[in-house]
Amino acid sequence: MQMTWSRPGLPSPLRPICDLRVLDHFIKEARDAEAAVRVCKEECAIAVSLLVPLTRVDFGVWEKKNMEEQALEVQTGLWLLSKAISSLRASVSNSALASHIDISVQNIASIGQVLRSLSIQDYVPIAGGLDIQETWRVSSASELFQVHINFLRGKVRLLLANAPVCQQGIS
C-alpha cells in the first residue's frame, strides 16, 4: 500500500524550500521591523553609515548570469544585511525593537539554510573579494530595513523561484 500526500487531480504539495510563502512571511516580518524603526527616532539613529547590497535588478543582466553567480550575489547581499542589522542591534536597548531586529537576523539565517538545502554555498568573505560597485551605504535604520525588504522581494525571490529543484514538474 502506498500513501500519497495529494488526492487525485490535485497537484502535489510544494517542497517547503520552494514554497515562496515562507519568503513572504520573512518579508512581512521585515516590514514589521521597518515600521517599528520608522517610529523610533533617537534610539534608532545610526552613528556610522552601513554597507548594504544594491537591490535593483537588471533582468537582462540577471538572466545572463548562471545559477552560481546569482547565488553568490544573493549570499553576499544576505551576509551584508546580516552584518548591518546586527550592527544596528548592538545599539538598540528597547526590547520590542530589539525583538524585531533579532527576528530579522534569524530570518536571514533561515534563508541561508534554505539556500544550503538547494546546494547553494554560504558566502565566505575574502580580502578584496567584495564588489563595492554592488553595494551602497544607508544612514538610517528605516533605510536599512527598506533595503532588506527590497532585497528579499527582488534578488532572493528570483533566485528561489528559478532554482532548478523548484522547477521540476513545472511544464
Side-chain angles (χ1 to χ4, degrees):
M1 178 176 193
Q2 181 180 11
M3 296 183 72
T4 61
W5 287 101
S6 62
R7 295 180 291 185
L10 294 176
S12 62
L14 291 174
R15 294 177 56 173
I17 59 173
C18 297
D19 190 345
L20 293 177
R21 290 175 295 187
V22 174
L23 181 61
D24 290 338
H25 177 75
F26 294 152
I27 293 168
K28 181 199 175 301
E29 288 185 337
R31 283 188 178 128
D32 292 345
E34 196 271 334
V37 299
R38 198 175 333 121
V39 297
C40 101
K41 299 291 178 213
E42 291 177 23
E43 188 173 0
C44 295
I46 296 176
V48 62
S49 63
L50 301 169
L51 192 64
V52 294
L54 288 177
T55 59
R56 67 170 157 54
V57 177
D58 179 334
F59 290 100
V61 172
W62 181 264
E63 290 176 357
K64 288 179 184 173
K65 293 180 180 183
N66 64 39
M67 181 73 172
E68 290 78 24
E69 292 169 322
Q70 293 173 352
L72 178 61
E73 189 169 332
V74 167
Q75 286 287 45
T76 304
L78 291 172
W79 181 81
L80 286 168
L81 285 168
S82 180
K83 293 296 179 201
I85 294 170
S86 294
S87 176
L88 174 64
R89 173 62 179 95
S91 67
V92 170
S93 60
N94 175 296
S95 62
L97 186 55
S99 176
H100 283 291
I101 294 169
D102 290 341
I103 288 169
S104 294
V105 172
Q106 292 167 1
N107 287 347
I108 290 171
S110 294
I111 292 168
Q113 290 175 329
V114 168
L115 295 177
R116 281 189 296 282
S117 74
L118 294 170
S119 300
I120 296 173
Q121 304 236 339
D122 285 337
Y123 171 72
V124 179
I126 55 172
L130 189 60
D131 184 358
I132 296 297
Q133 292 179 341
E134 292 297 318
T135 62
W136 66 297
R137 293 193 172 275
V138 295
S139 56
S140 75
S142 181
E143 276 183 299
L144 172 59
F145 280 100
Q146 288 170 8
V147 168
H148 183 195
I149 293 163
N150 289 336
F151 193 77
L152 296 178
R153 289 177 53 222
K155 292 179 181 179
V156 174
R157 180 176 295 279
L158 284 171
L159 182 66
L160 292 176
N162 295 314
V165 70
C166 297
Q167 299 298 307
Q168 294 175 358
I170 297 175
S171 52

